Structure formats: C-alpha cells, structure tokens
Amino acid sequence: MEHPDTDALRAGPSRRVLITGAGGQLGAALAEVFAADDVLALTHDDWDVRFPPRISLGRPDLVLHAAAWTNVDGAEDDPQGAAEVNVGGTTHAAELGAPLVAYSTDYVFNGRKGAPYTESDGPAPLSAYGRTKLHAEAAAGESAWVVRSSWLFGPTGHNFVRTMLRLGAERDEVAVVDDQRGSPTFVAHLAAATRELVNGGAPFGIWHIAAAGDCTWAELAEAIFDEAGLDCRVRRITTAEFGAKAPRPAVSVLRSEKGAPELPHWREGLAACIALLRERATS
Ligand SMILES: NC(=O)c1ccc[n+]([C@@H]2O[C@H](COP(=O)([O-])OP(=O)(O)OC[C@H]3O[C@@H](n4cnc5c(N)ncnc54)[C@H](OP(=O)(O)O)[C@@H]3O)[C@@H](O)[C@H]2O)c1
C-alpha cells in the first residue's frame, strides 16, 4: 500500500488544506478542526465539483473532499445527476494532484452480512447513491484515504438529529424505522479522526471510521428525545412500512480491522451535538 509523503503533509500554518463542500455538515466540521492549517474552504457556490475548477486553486498539500450528492432517495430518480457530483466531483478533486481524503459510506454494503463490516469486506451497494459512492472510491485514485463513515449528524445542515428535534417539538409521536442498524457519527468526531489519520501518516487506502456502538433509527430517535428532554413517543415501524424510495442496508455497522482512529460512542456524539445546539440557541 502506498504511503504519503509525510514531510509535505506536516500539519501547521504552512500546510495548505483545500476543503470541498465546506457548506455541508462535514465540510463545516473539517474547517473547524483543521483551522490551525492554511485552509481554503470552498462551498458549492465557490466550486461546483462537477466541473474542473474555473480558476487556479494553487497547489494544495492536502484535499479534504466533503462535497457530495447526499440525497439517497433523490439519486434513485436521477442516478446520472448523482454520479456527476459523486464520481465526477471526486475525479476533479483527485486531479488537483494532492493527497486526498475522499469520504464514502456504509451504503456501499448490502447489509446482509448481519455483522459489522470491515475494510476487507466486499461492497455490494443496494442503491443508486451507494453505487455512485463506490465508483467515487475508485475515482479517488492511488493517493487517497477513502474514509467510509455512517449516519452523519452535526449542528448544521440536513440530518436525522435535527429533523427529530424539530418533529419532537411539534408532535406527540413519530413513526421511525426500527429494522436498520448503524453507527450514528458526529461530524466533529469524524473530522478530528480525519486529522489524526492524516497527521499520523496512515497509508492510503480504505478506512472505516464511525462512532462506537450501534443502534436503529428508532433507538436513535428515542435517545435524541431523551437527551433533549422532549416528550415525544417513538412508534417503531419497519423499512417496508416507511416505504422510502431507495433500498438501504439492514445492518451497516462499520468497524476497522486496520487500526483506524477510534471514535467515541454515538451517545457521546449525540450529547455533544445537542449541547452545541443549545449553546448556539442561547448565544
Ligand atoms: N450524511 C450521511 O449520513 C453520510 C453518511 C456516510 C457518508 N457520508 C459522506 O460524507 C460526505 C459528507 O457528507 P455530509 O453529510 O456532510 O453531506 P452534506 O451536509 O449534504 O454536504 C454536502 C455538501 O456538498 C455540496 N455539494 C452538492 N453538490 C455539489 C457540487 N456539485 N459541487 C460542490 N458542492 C456540492 C452541498 O451543497 P448544497 O447543499 O448547496 O447542494 C453540501 O454543502 C459525503 O461524501 C457523503 O457521501 C455522509
């Protein structure tokens, strides 16, 4: 396996780090965690990654590629559109010529293993989104850390935690899927683990980095209401009852067999995220 040139990657104010998708939930967390470097944080408006950059972006020392089409159900209707962002975008990020962190997903697996997936398990995506992300992994090239994570949430953007906080304040009961199991991962924890991976000189290749512990969406919803002190019941339903457009893996817990940086338990991530949201609401 290829090793990065660790001299060029020395952390600090002279390391030029380019972040794509900086307006997204992970991109925003990366910009905070890498703030001690010389960061160029590009939002969708700054660079539409479906196309090569219109202006020179200089020669970054490191690219953190967080831009993506993340609408899993929407990708079923427009797989070509999703591929243009996910595969085309990753190709363009890799073409910048710097070591790349490309983020991928537990949805590259079909979930039928019934046990946690490690880096050597064979992918078999069920959805159009999962297929574009698997192709994107290949497009990342040889000088890339492909970081697979799962069920991301943070204080900004679209995510399950923020949706449940809104619904829990409006309703007495919500119906939530109870037959999909994964590891809900706080973006700040994933961003910190990314820095640890890169700064630690880990070899390029696939890395599974997700929160410790696992749960179903219904269990996560209950934990959110508990943590936020919301009086809302969770009615447990099946994937079939929910009827989402895209098929999703039943068990897509990710674990590392390669000694990837370990993340705190998802409940810790949830508590930290809700504390941050409270802080922001009162400041
Ligand atoms: N969310 C999850 O549960 C999850 C789980 C596992 C892995 N991942 C992976 O983790 C990474 C980060 O995901 P995230 O949750 O932070 O997603 P996110 O919040 O949806 O952020 C993605 C960002 O990419 C931007 N984007 C979309 N199309 C673009 C384009 N053509 N050019 C440039 N930027 C574009 C979006 O901007 P607009 O909003 O303006 O379109 C958004 O700011 C992705 O690779 C995703 O596949 C996510």
Side-chain angles (χ1 to χ4, degrees):
M1 198 176 294
E2 253 198 87
H3 277 261
D5 173 356
T6 40
D7 276 349
L9 275 171
R10 209 172 294 283
S14 63
R15 180 170 68 174
R16 279 163 304 176
V17 178
L18 188 149
I19 301 173
T20 69
Q25 52 173 349
L26 178 59
L30 289 167
E32 285 182 24
V33 161
F34 282 81
D37 294 279
D38 179 7
V39 170
L40 181 59
L42 301 177
T43 65
H44 194 165
D45 283 346
D46 298 322
W47 179 21
D48 183 336
V49 298
R50 290 175 302 165
F51 310 103
R54 284 163 202 258
I55 53 160
S56 165
L57 298 174
R59 281 202 59 84
D61 298 307
L62 174 66
V63 175
L64 306 176
H65 180 49
W69 174 306
T70 54
N71 180 347
V72 176
D73 293 313
E76 296 296 311
D77 290 329
D78 187 6
Q80 185 56 35
E84 281 169 19
V85 181
N86 291 347
V87 188
T90 304
T91 302
H92 296 136
E95 281 171 358
L96 295 174
L100 174 74
V101 178
Y103 292 94
S104 191
T105 169
D106 53 329
Y107 287 6
V108 297
F109 295 111
N110 64 18
R112 296 188 192 123
K113 184 181 175 189
Y117 285 96
T118 59
E119 289 91 346
S120 61
D121 282 317
L126 298 173
S127 63
Y129 167 77
R131 286 189 287 278
T132 65
K133 295 298 290 184
L134 185 58
H135 287 133
E137 291 185 357
E142 295 295 309
S143 303
W145 297 273
V146 172
V147 173
R148 292 186 184 138
S149 193
S150 61
W151 297 25
L152 297 189
F153 64 89
T156 60
H158 298 288
N159 62 63
F160 183 83
V161 172
R162 278 165 45 90
T163 302
M164 284 300 132
L165 288 173
R166 180 171 49 79
L167 294 180
E170 291 168 5
R171 301 183 187 177
D172 296 333
E173 184 180 277
V174 288
V176 187
V177 169
D178 194 37
D179 56 1
Q180 291 169 30
R181 182 163 287 279
S183 299
T185 300
F186 182 35
V187 287
H189 289 164
L190 178 58
T194 298
R195 189 184 51 188
E196 201 180 322
L197 187 79
V198 169
N199 291 357
F204 295 131
I206 292 172
W207 294 89
H208 285 188
I209 307 184
D214 57 73
C215 62
T216 67
W217 292 110
E219 288 164 358
L220 175 56
E222 282 170 350
I224 293 165
F225 298 150
D226 180 40
E227 194 68 45
L230 286 168
D231 192 12
C232 182
R233 280 185 312 279
V234 174
R235 186 161 57 83
R236 295 173 178 234
I237 61 170
T238 63
T239 298
E241 282 172 284
F242 187 71
K245 186 139 202 171
R248 288 163 168 79
V251 181
S252 59
V253 178
L254 300 176
R255 291 292 167 254
S256 181
E257 64 199 354
K258 296 166 60 172
E262 285 185 11
L263 265 52
H265 195 275
W266 63 267
R267 277 227 61 146
E268 266 183 64
L270 178 62
C273 180
I274 288 178
L276 203 58
L277 283 166
R278 273 209 189 97
E279 214 178 281
R280 290 185 183 180
T282 55
S283 68

